[in-house]
């Protein structure tokens, strides 16, 4: 890796493997960062209140919020838990929501994916539907249960891009793209200072950004990291994030 590559912090999930606890990040996110965005990933442990957020953000040029099997604790957005069988990760919640808020305040580039998309919304004061598939007006956005990953992460539906938005600019002016869909939760109340960048056919919000012409603080509900090198929109998205991180790095060192 080139020594001038921007450093991107990637917060971890907590996971027990056997009797031992680990802090982990999926390899597909790391590969997309290195191979397409041209960034050097640094994993951030899910230490919650013990993490020195200011010091960590002093070290990085961007923040990537990954997807996860876990969901954000509903108390974080003022709701009660509807299904206690769904996995939680309170250490990640505490770590990421604090990181996001401070990163946005500083202008650090932020890119959120799936759970990371939901984290950006909650960090900005928004709320979530805990079971989108249970809403009569919404389609089932979960992946095909029990099927191989190639099918679960296959094309699922189109999203309509906001005219004149950040995503439409990144995707070279197209009006819609086709995405995968592997999530049970989604945005209910949109957070403050957020604009909608894309919606699904049923109206569910699929992409958001923090307002500000010169900032990159964007998140998507789908999984662009899945086989990112094989998908034009994924390549464009990670390349745009990498460019934003390089610009931020240059502003810090100049």
């Amino acid at each position: 890796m080139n020594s001038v590559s921007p450093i991107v912090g990637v917060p971890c999930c907590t996971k027990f493997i056997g009797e031992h606890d680990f802090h982990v990040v999926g390899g597909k996110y790391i590969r997309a960062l290195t191979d397409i965005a041209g960034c050097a990933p640094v994993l951030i442990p899910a230490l919650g209140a013990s993490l020195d957020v200011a010091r960590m953000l002093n070290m990085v040029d961007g923040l990537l919020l990954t997807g996860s099997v876990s969901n954000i604790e509903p108390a974080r957005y003022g709701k009660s838990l509807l299904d206690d069988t769904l996995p939680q990760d309170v250490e990640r919640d505490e770590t990421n929501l604090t990181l996001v808020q401070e990163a946005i305040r500083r202008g650090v580039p932020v890119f959120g994916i799936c759970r990371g998309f939901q984290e950006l919304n909650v960090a900005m004061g928004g709320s979530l539907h805990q079971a989108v598939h249970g809403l009569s007006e919404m389609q089932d956005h979960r992946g095909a249960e029990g099927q191989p990953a190639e099918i679960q992460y296959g094309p699922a539906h189109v999203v309509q891009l906001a005219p004149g938005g950040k995503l439409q600019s990144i995707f070279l002016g197209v009006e819609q793209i086709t995405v995968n869909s592997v999530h049970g939760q989604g945005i209910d109340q949109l957070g403050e200072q957020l604009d909608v960048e894309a919606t699904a056919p049923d109206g569910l919000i699929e992409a958001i950004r923090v307002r500000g012409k010169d900032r990159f603080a964007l998140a998507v509900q789908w999984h662009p990291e899945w086989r990112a090198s094989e998908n034009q929109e994924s390549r464009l998205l990670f390349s745009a994030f990498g460019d934003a991180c390089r610009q931020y790095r240059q502003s810090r060192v100049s």
Side-chain angles (χ1 to χ4, degrees):
M1 177 63 67
N2 192 308
S3 60
V4 299
S5 296
I7 297 172
V8 172
V10 188
C12 295
C13 298
T14 61
K15 180 180 178 64
F16 267 85
I17 302 176
E19 298 181 358
H20 303 280
D21 63 309
F22 289 78
H23 294 247
V24 300
V25 170
K28 57 185 178 173
Y29 301 99
I30 300 301
R31 287 189 292 273
L33 271 180
T34 57
D35 297 348
I36 302 175
C39 297
V42 172
L43 305 193
I44 302 175
L47 298 177
S50 299
L51 181 71
D52 188 336
V53 169
R55 185 176 183 184
M56 183 60 65
L57 290 176
N58 285 340
M59 298 167 56
V60 303
D61 307 302
L63 195 63
L64 177 69
L65 310 172
T66 70
S68 176
V69 297
S70 68
N71 297 293
I72 301 171
E73 186 180 32
R76 297 280 180 177
Y77 48 90
K79 293 188 179 183
S80 299
L81 181 64
L82 297 182
D83 183 355
D84 60 9
T85 66
L86 295 178
Q88 309 287 304
D89 191 340
V90 295
E91 291 87 357
R92 170 167 170 157
D93 292 344
E94 179 69 22
T95 303
N96 284 21
L97 295 181
T98 305
L99 275 170
V100 169
Q101 290 167 349
E102 181 61 15
I104 296 300
R105 189 189 71 78
R106 292 175 176 225
V108 176
V110 175
F111 181 25
I113 295 172
C114 200
R115 191 193 207 269
F117 162 87
Q118 296 165 11
E119 287 169 342
L120 177 59
N121 188 58
V122 172
M124 301 301 286
S127 64
L128 304 175
H129 295 299
Q130 294 180 54
V132 172
H133 46 281
L135 303 173
S136 60
E137 69 274 22
M138 297 293 182
Q139 68 186 69
D140 192 339
H141 287 259
R142 296 173 295 180
E145 187 175 358
Q147 296 297 315
E150 290 78 5
I151 296 177
Q152 290 189 34
Y153 286 86
H157 61 73
V158 300
V159 294
Q160 193 72 27
L161 305 181
K166 181 76 170 179
L167 270 185
Q168 191 174 68
S169 174
I170 291 172
F171 295 149
L172 309 177
V174 301
E175 296 181 354
Q176 65 180 32
I177 64 169
T178 300
V179 302
N180 53 36
S181 188
V182 193
H183 63 99
Q185 305 202 339
I187 288 181
D188 178 8
Q189 182 68 37
L190 186 66
E192 298 177 1
Q193 301 179 50
L194 295 177
D195 286 332
V196 176
E197 283 282 326
T199 53
D202 58 7
L204 189 67
I205 297 171
E206 289 275 339
I208 54 176
R209 68 175 174 88
V210 180
R211 293 184 196 125
K213 179 180 178 182
D214 298 323
R215 70 159 69 235
F216 190 108
L218 179 70
V220 300
Q221 183 63 86
W222 65 90
H223 283 269
E225 84 290 348
W226 172 253
R227 294 185 171 174
S229 63
E230 302 173 17
N231 182 278
Q232 180 184 10
E233 287 82 19
S234 293
R235 294 194 302 270
L236 290 170
L237 196 46
F238 274 97
S239 294
F241 177 57
D243 289 344
C245 294
R246 275 180 282 277
Q247 292 171 10
Y248 182 78
R249 177 183 177 86
Q250 185 59 38
S251 71
R252 293 202 302 141
V253 301
S254 60

